[in-house]
RNA sequence: UGGGGCGUAGCCAAGUGGUAAGGCAUCGGGUUUUGAUCCCGUGUACCGCAGGUUCGAAUCCUGCCGCCCCAGCCA
């Protein structure tokens, strides 16, 4: 059991801390800023935080880092809660906000002033930038750096009371303007913002900065291990500085890990919203979006996502994971659990000339070839059926074992048919096939042990249900779209293709969100938003592995 | 030419001084009424490079190279 658990370096630290008695219970937190939707990258953080704590009987807070009103909203909070919950994690009563601690944070700020390690600066933002120096040159002390404790206290209180306009003053930590670590060059702690806050209303007009609020929120909640991404590594000395100065009863430890990047996608909230604003996608939950909401709507199972990030592990190395890994996790999950159905994406009509007109037979179809306990369903079979256009080739290569003139194929759960005649329109397009069926070859009967190399799927024309099927492909044309000068240059114009497909009648009651495999095509789900029984809208989750496509590719290459 | 990180096969990733797990991908093959699943098999990884310590190093030391992050009153 425990041997199956991942033992990445963070979990190792956690176990050591438990064994050494440093901690008796592990407490972590997932601290999103509610200024956008969660994406694949967050899945890894969520699974790490909730996973590492949960595995040891510890607990995890879902804490909204809502220190920048104006950019944050309730809508995003609700979406985040929904996503984390859907992923399979719960926080019980541990749903908190940085804003829950605004009073304590304010008190802590005054304490820093009293300690003489924080001061009110009255330089403008531009001046502060100038004084900060550069990566290679030290900064200079602000002329206001030497203000007395009393003056600082008075100024800071007046800041809180609303005596000043935005930007007039800022509270800064007094650390070291010459530090090689720029985060230590007197970072801002509080800024004036006369903005309504989504939770605290107009109570405050000064708001704490991330480093200050985050460190103390961790301490207030008794967080033992504060896990964050690599870009905050430089902030750790500041994190520790706050703890050293204020000596809270609980001392959390910050540990950084690398974020997860997925090939052909982006995980920048800013860029994601650009896509929405530009109309490239329909919203945060567009099935092409790498957001949790988008992936959920696309039909990716939560378990697949969890397995996917577990496989990647937790390290400090920059990574760009191939799509194939994600797709494999999805196929693995769906292959095991999704029931099978038949649907024809690009229909080609086939008339079985020797099949009695008007006759309908009910064929027994397995819901899952490897799991007989999932039962069977009936599929009506008749004289006229739809087959996939791709399953017929007039001039077929030797290895093509589907339908071709004079050739035979098995209709899955049906009969073996032979193509006798190809009917074309004036333009020369194949519009119909005339075939004959072999009555002795009905699936399930022992009357025929004839074997044909190919088996194709089909749907009876008179019983078919038409549906709008959305075929999705990667949103970008290059593996690392974030590296593009202009994102718009690398969006895949063919990320969405819509077709009118023909579904087997049992799909009449396809339910929103339900996922099935359309045999030989891939996994599909009824769109959670647009689908309805009389106007089915279906998303392609992922295709099946396609070794025929590979053979074709190889043929093309040679 | 400041500081902080990271470098093990195409992509991830174990490994913590004893002579390189695993997954995905690839390429073969078997089973198959989904060219799916499943099952076998398949990789000289100069462990970034160069020195050094050691009986012995991916693991320790030194130097070098490459990549990422930091100059928001964003998080």
């Amino acid at each position: 059991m425990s041997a199956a658990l991942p033992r990445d370096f963070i979990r190792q630290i956690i176990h050591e801390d438990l064994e050494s008695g440093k901690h008796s219970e592990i407490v972590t937190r997932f601290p999103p800023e509610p200024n956008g939707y969660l994406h694949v990258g967050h899945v890894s953080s969520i699974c790490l935080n909730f996973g590492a704590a949960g595995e040891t009987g510890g607990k995890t807070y879902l804490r909204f880092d809502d220190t920048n009103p104006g950019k944050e909203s309730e809508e995003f909070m609700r979406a985040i809660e929904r996503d984390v919950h859907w992923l399979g994690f719960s926080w019980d009563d541990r749903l908190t906000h940085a804003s829950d601690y605004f009073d304590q944070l304010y008190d802590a700020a005054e304490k820093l002033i009293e300690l003489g390690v924080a001061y009110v600066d009255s330089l403008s933002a531009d001046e502060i930038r100038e004084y900060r120096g550069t990566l290679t040159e030290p900064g200079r002390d602000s002329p206001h750096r030497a203000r007395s404790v009393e003056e600082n206290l008075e100024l800071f209180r007046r800041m809180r009371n609303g005596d000043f306009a935005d930007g007039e003053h800022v509270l800064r930590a007094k650390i070291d303007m010459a530090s090689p670590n720029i985060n230590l060059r007197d970072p801002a702690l509080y800024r004036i913002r006369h903005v309504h806050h989504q939770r605290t209303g107009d109570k405050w007009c000064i708001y704490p900065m991330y480093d200050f609020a985050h460190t103390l929120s961790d301490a207030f909640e008794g967080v033992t291990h504060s896990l964050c991404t690599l870009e905050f590594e430089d902030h750790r000395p500041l994190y520790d500085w706050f703890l050293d100065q204020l000596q809270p009863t609980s001392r959390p430890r910050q540990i950084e890990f690398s974020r997860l990047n997925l090939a052909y996608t982006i995980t920048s909230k800013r860029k994601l919203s650009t896509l929405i604003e530009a109309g490239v996608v329909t919203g945060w939950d567009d099935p092409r979006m790498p957001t949790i909401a988008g992936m959920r709507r696309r039909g990716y199972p939560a378990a697949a996502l969890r397995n996917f990030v577990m496989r990647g592990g937790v390290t400090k190395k920059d990574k760009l994971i191939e799509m194939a890994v994600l797709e494999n996790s999805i196929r693995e999950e769906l292959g095991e659990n999704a029931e099978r159905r038949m649907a024809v994406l690009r229909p080609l009509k086939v008339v079985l000339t020797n099949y009695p007109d008007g006759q309908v037979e009910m064929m027994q179809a397995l819901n899952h070839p490897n799991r007989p306990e999932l039962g069977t369903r009936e599929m009506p079979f008749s004289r006229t059926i739809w087959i996939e256009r791709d399953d017929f080739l007039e001039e077929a290569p030797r290895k093509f074992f589907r339908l071709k003139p004079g050739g035979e194929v098995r209709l899955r759960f049906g009969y073996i048919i032979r193509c006798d005649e190809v009917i074309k329109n004036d333009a020369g397009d194949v519009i119909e096939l005339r075939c004959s069926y072999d009555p002795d070859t009905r699936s399930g009967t022992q009357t025929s042990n004839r074997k044909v190399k190919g088996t194709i799927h089909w749907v009876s024309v008179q019983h078919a249900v038409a549906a709008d099927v959305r075929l999705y492909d990667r949103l970008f044309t290059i593996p690392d779209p974030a590296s593009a000068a202009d994102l718009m240059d690398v969006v895949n114009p063919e990320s969405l293709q819509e077709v009118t497909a023909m579904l087997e009648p049992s799909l009449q009651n396809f339910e929103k969100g339900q996922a099935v495999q359309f045999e030989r095509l891939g996994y599909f789900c009824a769109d959670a938003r647009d689908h309805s029984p009389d106007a089915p809208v279906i998303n392609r989750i992922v295709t099946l592995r396609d070794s025929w496509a590979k053979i074709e590719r190889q043929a093309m290459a040679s």
Side-chain angles (χ1 to χ4, degrees):
Chain A
M1 188 69 181
S2 62
L5 293 175
R7 286 300 294 258
D8 50 77
F9 78 101
I10 290 178
R11 272 176 248 249
Q12 278 178 34
I13 291 171
I14 285 174
H15 281 266
E16 283 161 16
D17 289 347
L18 245 17
E19 276 166 34
S20 72
K22 178 177 179 184
H23 297 296
S24 55
E25 182 186 40
I26 299 305
V27 181
T28 59
R29 101 272 90 112
F30 174 61
E33 182 189 10
N35 67 343
Y37 276 57
L38 263 21
H39 53 67
V40 247
H42 296 292
V43 175
S44 129
S45 178
I46 293 168
C47 290
L48 206 214
N49 277 294
F50 283 91
E55 287 152 20
T56 60
K59 57 194 185 188
T60 303
Y61 285 82
L62 169 58
R63 182 176 72 226
F64 290 110
D65 235 318
D66 57 348
T67 55
N68 193 10
K71 292 192 173 179
E72 299 153 355
S73 75
E74 287 287 338
E75 183 217 333
F76 290 136
M77 293 195 219
R78 298 296 84 79
I80 288 168
E81 287 173 50
R82 208 182 306 134
D83 291 346
V84 175
H85 185 77
W86 174 77
L87 256 189
F89 301 102
S90 55
W91 48 85
D92 298 323
D93 58 340
R94 293 178 295 280
L95 174 65
T96 59
H97 309 75
S99 57
D100 295 340
Y101 311 119
F102 279 178
D103 287 313
Q104 294 168 73
L105 256 9
Y106 177 84
D107 291 342
E110 283 207 354
K111 185 174 175 192
L112 289 179
I113 292 173
E114 284 160 7
L115 253 22
V117 294
Y119 64 99
V120 172
D121 199 353
S122 309
L123 252 27
S124 70
D126 286 342
E127 290 169 324
I128 286 183
R129 191 180 314 120
E130 284 173 31
Y131 275 78
R132 184 153 36 226
T134 69
L135 293 178
T136 51
E137 302 158 25
R140 288 135 51 210
D141 287 0
S142 162
H144 309 289
R145 199 175 199 258
R147 287 215 255 237
S148 69
V149 168
E150 294 66 32
E151 188 181 0
N152 282 139
L153 230 32
E154 191 204 328
L155 249 17
F156 186 50
R157 285 172 182 162
R158 290 182 60 199
M159 278 170 64
R160 179 194 56 185
N161 293 341
D163 292 353
F164 306 113
D166 288 10
E168 252 185 272
H169 303 284
V170 62
L171 181 72
R172 293 228 260 170
K174 189 189 290 185
I175 307 180
D176 178 7
M177 287 307 291
S179 173
N181 180 344
I182 291 185
N183 294 295
L184 262 23
R185 316 239 268 227
D186 292 9
L189 265 29
Y190 264 93
R191 75 290 215 186
I192 301 171
R193 269 241 215 304
H194 290 271
V195 176
H196 183 86
H197 186 282
Q198 60 274 15
R199 303 198 85 248
T200 60
D202 297 315
K203 178 176 179 186
W204 300 89
C205 62
I206 57 172
Y207 294 97
M209 298 291 290
Y210 163 82
D211 290 294
F212 184 61
H214 190 260
T215 305
L216 292 188
S217 298
D218 281 347
F220 296 153
E221 291 172 353
V223 167
T224 54
H225 302 265
S226 182
L227 315 178
C228 63
T229 43
L230 247 32
E231 65 269 29
F232 293 105
E233 202 146 24
D234 286 343
H235 295 236
R236 191 173 358 122
L238 179 55
Y239 189 95
D240 290 334
W241 184 87
F242 288 126
L243 298 175
D244 289 341
Q245 298 301 323
L246 295 163
Q247 294 291 317
T249 48
S250 167
R251 189 181 174 99
R253 198 235 277 214
Q254 173 178 305
I255 304 172
E256 312 82 14
F257 61 95
S258 62
R259 48 196 311 162
L260 178 160
N261 297 297
L262 227 205
Y264 294 97
T265 72
I266 49 169
T267 51
S268 144
K269 284 183 201 165
R270 208 199 94 249
K271 288 179 177 170
L272 252 18
S273 39
T274 299
L275 291 178
I276 296 170
E277 286 153 18
V280 172
V281 295
T282 57
W284 288 100
D285 70 344
D286 185 292
R288 289 164 292 182
M289 290 285 267
T291 51
I292 295 178
M295 296 189 290
R296 173 172 60 237
R297 185 169 164 200
R298 174 78 167 263
Y300 292 2
L305 254 20
R306 275 187 254 117
N307 286 335
F308 167 62
V309 301
M310 282 307 172
R311 278 177 193 163
V314 180
T315 66
K316 299 188 70 157
K317 188 167 102 178
D318 291 331
K319 45 184 144 195
L320 213 210
I321 300 175
E322 293 176 342
M323 265 292 194
V325 182
L326 209 211
E327 293 183 339
N328 178 69
S329 298
I330 295 164
R331 291 190 183 112
E332 186 178 281
E333 187 63 31
L334 259 13
E336 176 69 17
N337 301 309
E339 290 199 359
R340 267 106 248 232
R341 292 294 183 271
M342 281 198 237
V344 176
L345 261 26
R346 297 181 178 82
L348 173 60
K349 184 179 288 183
V350 169
V351 176
L352 302 173
T353 53
N354 61 337
Y355 193 85
D357 207 0
Q359 175 174 310
V360 173
E361 285 178 89
M362 296 310 282
M363 314 305 263
Q364 293 295 309
L366 251 25
N367 286 331
H368 192 118
N370 309 326
R371 297 178 60 185
E373 74 275 16
L374 259 26
T376 62
R377 65 189 187 283
E378 293 192 321
M379 283 184 68
F381 185 85
S382 66
R383 189 167 194 263
T384 310
I385 59 175
W386 296 117
I387 68 165
E388 206 69 57
R389 286 203 95 91
D390 285 352
D391 286 338
F392 172 77
L393 229 42
E394 202 168 7
E395 287 167 44
R398 47 279 130 199
K399 292 174 93 175
F400 182 84
F401 38 90
R402 275 119 94 161
L403 202 54
K404 52 191 159 192
E408 286 187 320
V409 272
R410 158 136 247 143
L411 292 176
R412 177 94 160 137
F413 301 128
Y415 296 94
I416 289 176
I417 63 171
R418 186 184 61 238
C419 177
D420 303 316
E421 193 182 344
V422 179
I423 300 187
K424 300 178 181 177
N425 62 12
D426 295 340
D429 304 319
V430 176
I431 54 168
E432 183 181 313
L433 262 25
R434 295 292 169 94
C435 300
S436 47
Y437 86 113
D438 179 344
D440 290 336
T441 57
R442 203 225 224 241
S443 274
T445 64
Q446 305 301 323
T447 51
S448 170
N449 44 23
R450 286 181 57 203
K451 295 278 184 189
V452 287
K453 41 268 142 193
T455 298
I456 64 174
H457 55 96
W458 55 276
V459 170
S460 165
V461 170
Q462 63 172 290
H463 306 276
V465 176
D468 174 19
V469 176
R470 297 169 178 170
L471 306 173
Y472 297 106
D473 196 0
R474 53 187 52 151
L475 241 189
F476 298 99
T477 55
I478 61 174
D480 187 14
S483 69
D486 185 350
L487 238 209
M488 294 307 152
D489 290 344
V490 296
V491 312
N492 177 5
E494 292 168 354
S495 62
L496 169 60
Q497 199 180 142
E498 297 193 65
V499 298
T500 299
M502 294 300 171
L503 319 179
E504 65 165 81
S506 76
L507 253 9
Q508 187 67 258
N509 42 28
F510 204 13
E511 288 169 30
K512 281 187 173 185
Q514 188 189 349
V516 299
Q517 181 195 101
F518 285 169
E519 295 213 27
R520 304 210 312 131
L521 297 173
Y523 298 95
F524 296 73
C525 75
D527 189 75
R529 196 183 279 287
D530 302 333
H531 177 269
S532 75
D534 11 274
V537 175
I538 292 163
N539 299 319
R540 181 171 69 194
I541 302 168
V542 64
T543 61
L544 247 32
R545 241 187 221 94
D546 187 353
S547 54
W548 169 247
K550 195 167 66 189
I551 292 169
E552 282 185 309
R553 240 182 288 122
Q554 289 170 346
M556 292 293 245
S558 63

